[in-house]
Amino acid sequence: MGAVAINRKRSDESFNFINQQSTNPLRNSPYFQASKKRRFSFAISEDSGKPASSNPTISRISRYPDAKAPLRREIHAPSRGILRYGKAKSSDYSEKDANFFVRKYDDAKRSALEALRFVNKGKDFVDLGGEVEKEEVVSDDSSVQAIEVIDCDDDEEKKNLQPSFSSGVTDVKKGENFRVEDTSMMLDSLSLDRDVDNDASSLEAYRKLMQSAEKRNSKLEALGFEIVLNEKKLSLLRQSRPKPVEKRVEVPREPFIPLTEDEEAEVYRAFSGRNRRKVLATHENSNIDITGEVLQCLTPSAWLNDEVINVYLELLKERETREPKKYLKCHYFNTFFYKKLVSDSGYNFKAVRRWTTQRKLGYALIDCDMVFVPIHRGVHWTLAVINNRESKLLYLDSLNGVDPMILNALAKYMGDEANEKSGKKIDANSWDMEFVEDLPQQKNGYDCGMFMLKYIDFFSRGLGLCFSQEHMPYFRLRTAKEILRLRAD
């Protein structure tokens, strides 16, 4: 049996129905659920104005009644509610209402925290009324801590019986229905009567805080008194302790014997300009002439020259020879020795090997207690000491300078000297090398030579360096007097 398929067309009413659905204001709502679109088949109407066909199949179809659009029915499909706080919310409220209550909840929570920001987190709190305390928990959230609400009078207890913020939050969490009026009651309960009791409660809280501060101040004053008392006791105990006995350094008299008037007059005459070219003294053993011009280096603020230093060292050796029991056995190199030993080409023992022959000195260097080596460093005088008694090398600088190369060269020289003159092997490099720091220091730029001479003078006496910058003017006059008389005292 053959059949003819006819295109199904929707009637104008069906299109109108679809347009009504598209313009429905609730269509965009999550609670709106449209029914399935139905398809309607319409046969060809007899009175459509078209001529009847002779086809029997078409004639049969034309006898069917015209299709009518179905009646519009209401939507009864269930709408799914919005899940909040773990349970489904009632379908009475839309998503807009839910967002409204969430914002109200956040605003209420923020207002409550601002209202109670002065309440301490710990156990300490400000008691405004002295009545029984009531504790209410805001929520189970860990970020919000427990707050202690303190009643001021009996009238406020009735206000506290109203629905509180915590109860409102609990209802939201349980998923129970609440209205806008409930939210307004929650906000009213959070106000805490600021307008009425704000001034009174602030003054009362300030008074309580002042009282607690006064109590703490009293404790601090007591602690301060105890501290002062203990400090006084400690000072008394320190004063009662026996003080260590300081060893008195006996200053010898001989190095500081003052000059007589005649001696001072003799020195000042030698410093006069009339004697500049006049030979005032001649040292025969060293063949050095001391003129008035050479002696001018001993005037204040002048640098010492080689002639004065070398003559004075010869006088110190002669003093030792006169009184060998009173002074140490020493050898005094002149200012040119180290320049020969260490020249620009380096260490040269052969340049000074004949300076210390037995024929010239009458003794060996290793037999001396101390050997003094003046060092001239351009514009500064220093001293190196070979201490044979203690197997030590010393370096003394009135400006606290340090130069290990000088002591290393002298250590090598002592080894070569002992092997050359006495046939003994001495390892002076193993001796202690000390750069003396605790020694008198110069406080100007011209007394370095005078300090060097006094280092030698006091060491040759076996004394400590018990002088200072203040003695330099006296030492200049005394050295000039001793050179003029060719005798060191």
Side-chain angles (χ1 to χ4, degrees), residues 155-171:
D155 295 338
E156 295 181 357
E157 293 180 358
K158 296 180 181 180
K159 298 179 182 179
N160 293 331
L161 295 177
Q162 296 177 357
S164 62
F165 172 68
S166 61
S167 62
V169 176
T170 305
D171 294 341

Side-chain angles (χ1 to χ4, degrees), residues 265-279:
E266 181 183 358
V267 171
Y268 288 132
R269 283 195 302 268
F271 288 159
S272 64
R274 294 177 299 178
N275 299 323
R276 292 183 62 85
R277 296 185 179 182
K278 183 179 179 180
V279 177

Side-chain angles (χ1 to χ4, degrees), residues 221-285:
E221 290 177 358
L223 291 175
F225 176 76
E226 292 180 1
I227 292 172
V228 173
L229 183 61
N230 291 329
E231 288 179 352
K232 290 183 179 180
K233 290 181 179 180
L234 181 60
S235 63
L236 291 175
L237 289 175
R238 289 176 179 175
Q239 293 177 2
S240 62
R241 289 180 181 178
K243 295 182 180 180
V245 179
E246 297 180 358
K247 295 182 179 180
R248 294 183 179 179
V249 179
E250 295 183 359
V251 179
R253 183 176 178 274
E254 291 183 359
F256 301 100
I257 296 176
L259 273 65
T260 61
E261 294 181 0
D262 295 339
E263 293 172 344
E264 289 184 359
E266 181 183 358
V267 171
Y268 288 132
R269 283 195 302 268
F271 288 159
S272 64
R274 294 177 299 178
N275 299 323
R276 292 183 62 85
R277 296 185 179 182
K278 183 179 179 180
V279 177
L280 302 177
T282 301
H283 191 268
E284 296 179 357
N285 293 336

Side-chain angles (χ1 to χ4, degrees), residues 124-179:
D124 296 337
F125 58 88
V126 180
D127 188 3
L128 299 179
E131 298 295 333
V132 180
E133 302 173 358
K134 295 182 180 181
E135 298 181 356
E136 295 181 6
V137 179
V138 176
S139 66
D140 295 334
D141 190 358
S142 60
S143 62
V144 182
Q145 299 181 357
I147 302 174
E148 298 179 357
V149 180
I150 303 169
D151 299 335
C152 295
D153 51 18
D154 296 334
D155 295 338
E156 295 181 357
E157 293 180 358
K158 296 180 181 180
K159 298 179 182 179
N160 293 331
L161 295 177
Q162 296 177 357
S164 62
F165 172 68
S166 61
S167 62
V169 176
T170 305
D171 294 341
V172 174
K173 288 186 176 182
K174 290 181 180 180
E176 297 177 0
N177 298 332
F178 57 89
R179 299 179 303 276

Side-chain angles (χ1 to χ4, degrees), residues 43-62:
I44 300 175
S45 176
E46 291 181 356
D47 54 355
S48 61
K50 295 182 180 180
S53 178
S54 61
N55 194 340
T57 305
I58 297 176
S59 62
R60 284 198 305 270
I61 295 175
S62 64

Side-chain angles (χ1 to χ4, degrees), residues 319-375:
R319 183 184 65 180
E320 174 194 333
T321 304
R322 289 194 309 268
E323 302 179 72
K325 295 182 179 180
K326 188 176 181 180
Y327 301 96
L328 298 179
K329 186 177 182 179
C330 303
H331 180 74
Y332 307 87
F333 281 113
N334 61 26
T335 58
F336 305 107
F337 170 77
Y338 186 76
K339 293 180 180 179
K340 290 287 185 178
L341 178 65
V342 181
S343 59
D344 295 336
S345 59
Y347 175 81
N348 186 6
F349 174 73
K350 293 181 179 181
V352 294
R353 63 183 300 181
R354 295 183 179 180
W355 285 46
T356 57
T357 60
Q358 186 72 23
R359 184 177 179 181
K360 288 184 178 180
L361 298 181
Y363 56 86
L365 289 183
I366 60 174
D367 297 333
C368 296
D369 296 328
M370 291 186 180
V371 177
F372 300 104
V373 182
I375 309 294

Side-chain angles (χ1 to χ4, degrees), residues 66 87 133 138 287 323 327 330 344 388 410 428 447 457 459:
D66 295 337
K87 292 185 180 182
E133 302 173 358
V138 176
N287 195 20
E323 302 179 72
Y327 301 96
C330 303
D344 295 336
N388 291 327
L410 293 178
D447 278 333
D457 182 18
F459 275 163

